[in-house]
Amino acid sequence: MDGNGRWAADRHLPRVEGHRAGIESVRDSVELSARLGIEVLTLYAFSVENWKRPPAEVAVLMGLLKRYLKLELATLLANNVRFRVIGSQAELAPDVRAELDVAQDKTAANTGMLFNIALNYSGRAEIVAAARRALRAGVAPDELDEARFAGLLYTAGQPDPDLLIRTSGEMRVSNFLLWQIAYAEIWVTETYWPDFRARHLLEAVLAYQKRDRRYGGIKEPAVVGR
């Protein structure tokens, strides 16, 4: 979800105002994705590297996360959306973990779209953590294949992403779901995240539907719903 700071700078506002404005984009993306029948939506909210930002900005981001969960929990429940966090929660403040636990517990029985928030997340760290779990479990090298390793990741049991969307014209994957996006289609828009709305998401989905997915072999038609 890139471009919050630049969005604010263009309007001569503090960076934190860009983060606040991005909440509406989250709401639009979650609600439309659920209506489209998408199985899993993952938003990259806060990376491990984001701790390097000024403490005041980090505090605002965490406060906005708590505010979103409190305000939107009823909407998630009404839309049968299940909420999950991927990433290391150990470094998060107790009040943030408490709000995350409430949202995950109250939506756990929902059977519709799975909404992941990647929080304190790093793709490389996730892979290292999965390798460590395999070692602790005593998995022999010849027993560890791709399927078993995938089951050790934060996203165990979830389908790999079909589509990766980058806002604000960024042309990199930024340490996001490095294992899972091996065959994901990438769609880039110059639109800053605070301006990203349902129409932009629809544009991305329509562009995805027109692509031929070959996986190194025969052509496979793109399918919406994952």
Side-chain angles (χ1 to χ4, degrees), residues 61-139:
L61 284 166
M62 295 301 168
L64 288 172
L65 173 64
K66 292 192 298 179
R67 176 178 170 80
Y68 171 84
L69 293 174
K70 289 178 180 178
L71 293 177
E72 298 300 320
L73 181 57
T75 301
L76 296 178
L77 291 169
N79 286 280
N80 197 29
V81 173
R82 183 160 50 104
F83 175 78
R84 275 195 58 188
V85 180
I86 62 173
S88 175
Q89 298 184 53
E91 295 78 15
L92 301 177
D95 59 331
V96 175
R97 293 201 303 270
E99 287 296 338
L100 295 171
D101 288 343
V102 167
Q104 290 180 100
D105 291 344
K106 289 192 174 182
T107 63
N110 289 349
T111 58
M113 184 182 77
L114 174 59
F115 172 31
N116 292 321
I117 282 284
L119 190 65
N120 193 30
Y121 177 85
S122 158
R124 287 182 172 181
E126 178 184 24
I127 292 170
V128 170
R132 288 173 175 166
R133 280 192 285 274
L135 289 172
R136 287 196 297 269
V139 179

Side-chain angles (χ1 to χ4, degrees), residues 130 141-153 156 160 179-180 182-183:
D142 58 351
E143 296 175 344
L144 188 61
D145 56 16
E146 290 189 10
R148 189 161 188 178
F149 190 81
L152 299 169
L153 299 170
D160 286 341
W179 175 278
Q180 297 90 333
Y183 287 101

Side-chain angles (χ1 to χ4, degrees), residues 141-176:
D142 58 351
E143 296 175 344
L144 188 61
D145 56 16
E146 290 189 10
R148 189 161 188 178
F149 190 81
L152 299 169
L153 299 170
Y154 293 130
T155 54
Q158 300 181 26
D160 286 341
D162 293 309
L163 176 63
L164 172 65
I165 297 174
R166 289 304 307 254
T167 56
S168 78
E170 298 294 351
M171 301 294 288
R172 60 181 184 273
V173 297
S174 296
N175 202 11
F176 181 56

Side-chain angles (χ1 to χ4, degrees), residues 3-5 7-8 13-23 64 193-194:
N4 294 351
W7 182 93
L13 298 171
R15 283 177 56 86
V16 295
E17 294 306 316
H19 300 313
R20 290 193 176 97
I23 293 294
L64 288 172
W193 177 251

